[in-house]
Amino acid sequence: MEPHQNTGDDRDPGLQPERTRLAWRRTTLAGTVATVLAAKAALNGGPDAPGITVAALCCALWLAFLAVAHQRIRVLAEGDEPTTLTPRHAGTAALCTVALAACAVALIL
């Protein structure tokens, strides 16, 4: 019995965009939870200037990531073969994620 070789003909092209779209949704949900928790932690001791600044920064980063994710989810949901994620959008998503993590570290320390 010969091992099965994937020639590309038996691949369903709809599966990968669907999985990627769902991954963007999960990541957006995780970012939403992280932003809410960061804002809560920043404002926990009462509203002060640094806490409000960090909370506002977290919200701005989340909104930027949400914009990139929503655009990508829309492209993936169209049903046609999706276009490649542009370096600008990928960089924006990565920058927002890293900056949000940096805000979390700043809140903990």
Side-chain angles (χ1 to χ4, degrees):
M1 185 162 108
E2 291 183 24
H4 178 69
Q5 292 183 357
N6 188 1
T7 60
D9 295 336
D10 59 346
R11 182 181 172 270
D12 182 0
L15 294 178
Q16 182 63 43
E18 177 70 12
R19 286 191 303 266
T20 304
R21 186 179 63 80
L22 291 172
W24 276 103
R25 286 188 184 269
R26 284 189 306 270
T27 305
T28 302
L29 179 61
T32 302
V33 171
T35 300
V36 168
L37 291 175
K40 181 180 176 189
L43 302 174
N44 192 23
D48 58 347
I52 292 172
T53 302
V54 172
L57 180 60
C58 288
C59 289
L61 291 167
W62 175 74
L63 287 173
F65 182 83
L66 187 64
V68 171
H70 180 70
Q71 189 272 336
R72 191 63 189 159
I73 288 168
R74 231 177 347 112
V75 167
L76 291 167
E78 287 176 355
D80 298 333
E81 186 170 333
T83 59
T84 304
L85 185 63
T86 65
R88 178 177 166 222
H89 286 117
T92 301
L95 178 66
C96 289
T97 303
V98 170
L100 194 56
C103 287
V105 169
L107 287 172
I108 292 171
L109 300 177

